[in-house]
Amino acid sequence: MTFLSSIFKRRSSAPVARDRLQILLAHERIAVGDGKDDLLAKLHREIMEVIKRHVAVDQDKVQIKMDRGAQCSVLEIDVEVPGLTDRPENAKKS
Amino acid sequence: MAKVLVVTSGKGGVGKTTTTAALGAALAKAGQSVVLVDFDVGLRNLDLVMGAERRVVFDLINVIQGDANLAQALIKDKRVDTLSLLPASQTRDKDALTPEGVAKVIADLSKKFDWVICDSPAGIERGAQMAMHHADMAVIVTNPEVSSVRDSDRIIGMLDSTTEKAKAGEKMEKFLLITRYDPQRAARGDMLGTDDVLEILSIPLLGIIPESPDVLKASNVGAPVTIAEPESAPARAYTEAARRLMGEKVEVTIPTERKGLFDWLFRRRVA
Ligand SMILES: Nc1ncnc2c1ncn2[C@@H]1O[C@H](COP(=O)(O)OP(=O)(O)OP(=O)(O)O)[C@@H](O)[C@H]1O
Ligand SMILES: [Mg+2]
């Protein structure tokens, strides 16, 4: 009894694999399908273009983080803008 | 200065990516700083095995082409903080892997980490050559099976002739890692024996990793087996292999038919 229940209590890993793949492939199909970036990559590229139009940014002062999700993705762009203020400026999109 | 290690095989699907993740995580858990570099351009998978697929922003080729710097492209592992990943590019052209570009990336990584572990693509073409070119040491992943052993022999030949180390007349350190070893088939005599493989390839043995469902489970959840199931037979075998890489003398154990806890009952010395 305890032996059996301990077997069944263990969460199987296949559903985790399926969920991970669904999320990943949903993003990748867009990217590979028509040769374009996925939405997050596109946002990232265009946001950087806009920032660069206004200030000279040092590559080393830019941090980008992504987390592609099923319902919602997070793109975090952290740019240290020189000159105007001493504070790093933060742009966050989701 | 880092040790640059290539995980290679010639033959596809023998367990290079699994090994890169498992050895890298084991070294990192032992306190070493480790970066895993995926050289499988166009077919990256190390990100999936590491569970980092949702966090990829930049890749190796972005760094080579100057679109991003290393700090931006490296993905830090969330479980072991001395472990990082540099993903391969999924869509870009293989030719973007230039020898100069790769050399620079490896040199830069060498300054930051204790170990730079390169996951080679299958085959003997450009990608595989790039992955091994700057290595100081190589782990040759081999399944106990004729075509895998034959391909390993070719790869060993390439390691000894085409790499930077070989061209400088220095000796490349090479280790054999036998993976997907099935104790039941071995007991039945239906599988090439470890001794046979060792005798044919004649390089030192780093370890024997048993065939195990724990490897599949770990890749399902996106973790190296040495993190997901650290007490499992394959994880123990990988952890011991990592200790040998660090220069410790640990006896190699041959996985036996017994399942579970007593997997390791039957110990004997090899090589
Ligand atoms: N010890 C093991 N026990 C069970 N399955 C394993 C083991 N090692 C690897 N595998 C499985 O074998 C398959 C191939 O492994 P992996 O992707 O690591 O090989 P590879 O050499 O990197 O392949 P490729 O040449 O395509 O890059 C995967 O499904 C993996 O889960
Ligand atoms: Mg692989």
Side-chain angles (χ1 to χ4, degrees):
Chain A
M1 186 63 190
T2 45
F3 174 68
L4 279 180
S5 58
S6 76
I7 287 181
F8 290 117
K9 231 168 51 194
R10 258 194 97 157
R11 181 153 147 61
S12 55
S13 63
V16 184
R18 189 202 51 216
D19 293 349
R20 292 176 59 219
L21 277 174
Q22 276 174 343
I23 294 169
L24 176 67
L25 295 183
H27 287 278
E28 276 194 346
R29 281 184 184 138
I30 305 167
V32 178
D34 50 12
K36 279 186 249 146
D37 296 338
D38 71 347
L39 177 63
L40 230 50
K42 189 189 266 172
L43 281 174
H44 162 222
R45 192 161 34 81
E46 293 184 3
I47 291 170
M48 287 311 297
E49 276 166 17
V50 170
I51 296 175
K52 278 182 188 154
R53 217 180 293 150
H54 295 284
V55 280
V57 274
D58 182 350
Q59 272 271 17
D60 295 328
K61 301 285 162 62
V62 182
Q63 274 174 28
I64 298 127
K65 281 189 184 144
M66 279 193 199
D67 193 352
R68 299 178 169 87
Q71 264 76 49
C72 135
S73 298
V74 179
L75 169 62
E76 202 179 310
I77 302 182
D78 201 316
V79 186
E80 260 186 59
V81 179
L84 306 174
T85 71
D86 289 327
R87 276 185 308 139
E89 203 161 284
N90 231 317
K92 221 174 210 182
K93 282 267 147 26
S94 55
Chain B
M1 210 46 187
K3 293 241 184 213
V4 180
L5 172 86
V6 62
V7 177
T8 184
S9 70
K11 189 167 158 51
V14 294
K16 293 178 292 296
T17 302
T18 304
T19 296
T20 303
L23 279 182
L27 287 167
K29 279 172 79 177
Q32 306 277 299
S33 65
V34 180
V35 61
L36 311 179
V37 187
D38 191 348
F39 274 86
D40 210 340
V41 172
L43 281 176
R44 75 164 172 236
N45 268 326
L46 188 56
D47 58 334
L48 256 180
V49 173
M50 294 298 295
E53 74 280 0
R54 294 160 43 149
R55 299 165 58 208
V56 174
V57 188
F58 296 114
D59 55 54
L60 174 60
I61 288 177
N62 290 135
V63 177
I64 288 177
Q65 297 185 331
D67 303 330
N69 61 30
L70 263 183
Q72 291 168 330
L74 288 173
I75 302 177
K76 262 192 148 207
D77 191 88
K78 287 187 168 166
R79 299 150 298 207
V80 183
D81 65 3
T82 53
L83 183 59
S84 297
L85 167 71
L86 181 55
S89 156
Q90 184 69 319
T91 51
R92 267 165 254 245
D93 188 6
K94 278 193 178 60
D95 293 338
L97 274 191
T98 59
E100 306 77 36
V102 173
K104 173 144 196 330
V105 171
I106 300 283
D108 289 348
L109 289 172
S110 296
K111 287 178 208 142
K112 293 187 176 190
F113 294 91
D114 300 328
W115 293 87
V116 179
I117 306 185
C118 307
D119 182 17
S120 173
I124 53 171
E125 305 302 323
R126 189 190 184 91
Q129 289 183 15
M130 286 295 155
M132 70 168 65
H133 196 76
H134 303 94
D136 307 310
M137 52 205 300
V139 168
I140 294 109
V141 179
T142 307
N143 295 162
E145 171 263 319
V146 286
S147 55
S148 175
V149 175
R150 177 212 208 167
D151 288 0
S152 295
D153 194 61
R154 286 218 44 202
I155 283 290
I156 291 171
M158 283 175 59
L159 286 164
D160 286 335
S161 59
T162 67
T163 56
E164 209 165 57
K165 221 156 185 169
K167 285 178 181 157
E170 289 169 45
K171 206 171 161 303
M172 163 89 62
E173 265 188 280
K174 300 178 293 290
F175 299 100
L176 179 68
L177 187 72
I178 297 179
T179 63
R180 314 205 66 166
Y181 179 92
D182 183 341
Q184 271 151 346
R185 283 171 55 216
R188 270 187 265 120
D190 289 336
M191 198 175 62
L192 271 176
T194 314
D195 299 343
D196 303 329
V197 180
L198 271 173
E199 195 189 315
I200 296 168
L201 296 177
S202 61
I203 56 173
L205 182 65
L206 186 69
I208 306 169
I209 315 296
E211 173 80 21
S212 159
D214 291 310
V215 172
L216 185 66
K217 262 190 262 170
S219 81
N220 276 345
V221 301
V225 70
T226 43
I227 292 180
E229 307 278 345
E231 293 309 319
S232 66
R236 283 166 184 243
Y238 273 123
T239 302
E240 286 183 10
R243 286 170 57 196
R244 285 180 205 109
L245 278 179
M246 291 185 285
E248 273 183 60
K249 294 251 178 299
V250 190
E251 221 172 274
V252 176
T253 40
I254 298 190
T256 64
E257 245 182 304
R258 299 282 198 105
K259 291 272 178 219
L261 261 179
F262 294 101
D263 261 350
W264 305 90
L265 199 70
F266 188 59
R267 286 166 171 266
R268 71 184 244 231
R269 187 184 286 275
V270 211

